[in-house]
Amino acid sequence: QLQLVESGGGSVQPGGSLRLSCAASEYIGNSYCMAYFRQAPGREREWVAHGSTFNGSTDYAYTTSVKGRFTASQDTAKRTLYLQMDSLNPEDSAMYYCAAVSGGCSPFAVHYSYWGQGRQVTVSA
């Protein structure tokens, strides 16, 4: 059973930076998607960004609120998706979850077959 192992996150002041990593334990396929979602208390799980990989090439997409501040990068050899988060603000505070699926991407959580354990990101003064 494929597992997603997450690392990174933590606490930072507004304007600071954090990085998340998500490593897949085994081969997902020639075409796959790895994504990050986040969920704040009392709110629904929200798609943040994804990397869509096909034949070793990855395309990225971001939700509007993080464009220009968050950068996803995929190391296909390591089956790892990174999320560099810059210019963080308190609204970014949430539990961040990595997700993966063989095939294409979707902004809907139900689309994904595999999930990481989650990493807490807290942005406060």
Side-chain angles (χ1 to χ4, degrees):
Q1 175 78 359
L2 186 147
Q3 294 183 335
L4 299 177
V5 179
E6 298 186 63
S7 60
S11 297
V12 69
Q13 292 184 341
S17 298
L18 291 171
R19 190 171 89 149
L20 298 172
S21 299
C22 174
S25 63
E26 58 188 64
Y27 180 69
I28 304 175
N30 188 51
S31 173
Y32 63 91
C33 182
M34 294 182 75
Y36 275 102
F37 288 75
R38 65 187 180 186
Q39 188 167 18
R43 302 188 66 175
E44 293 188 356
R45 193 165 293 194
E46 171 192 27
W47 169 74
V48 176
H50 70 233
S52 178
T53 299
F54 177 70
N55 280 347
S57 179
T58 304
D59 293 322
Y60 303 98
Y62 305 88
T63 194
T64 301
S65 64
V66 309
K67 279 182 181 178
R69 301 188 299 120
F70 290 14
T71 304
S73 59
Q74 181 84 46
D75 184 331
T76 55
K78 295 182 178 179
R79 297 186 299 269
T80 299
L81 180 69
Y82 303 97
L83 187 67
Q84 176 67 36
M85 303 180 291
D86 298 319
S87 301
L88 285 160
N89 59 61
E91 290 70 39
D92 295 314
S93 296
M95 185 70 79
Y96 282 69
Y97 296 92
C98 177
V101 66
S102 179
C105 292
S106 167
F108 300 105
V110 295
H111 177 76
Y112 293 83
S113 304
Y114 309 100
W115 288 87
Q117 76 278 18
R119 301 294 293 181
Q120 181 66 42
V121 170
T122 303
V123 185
S124 66

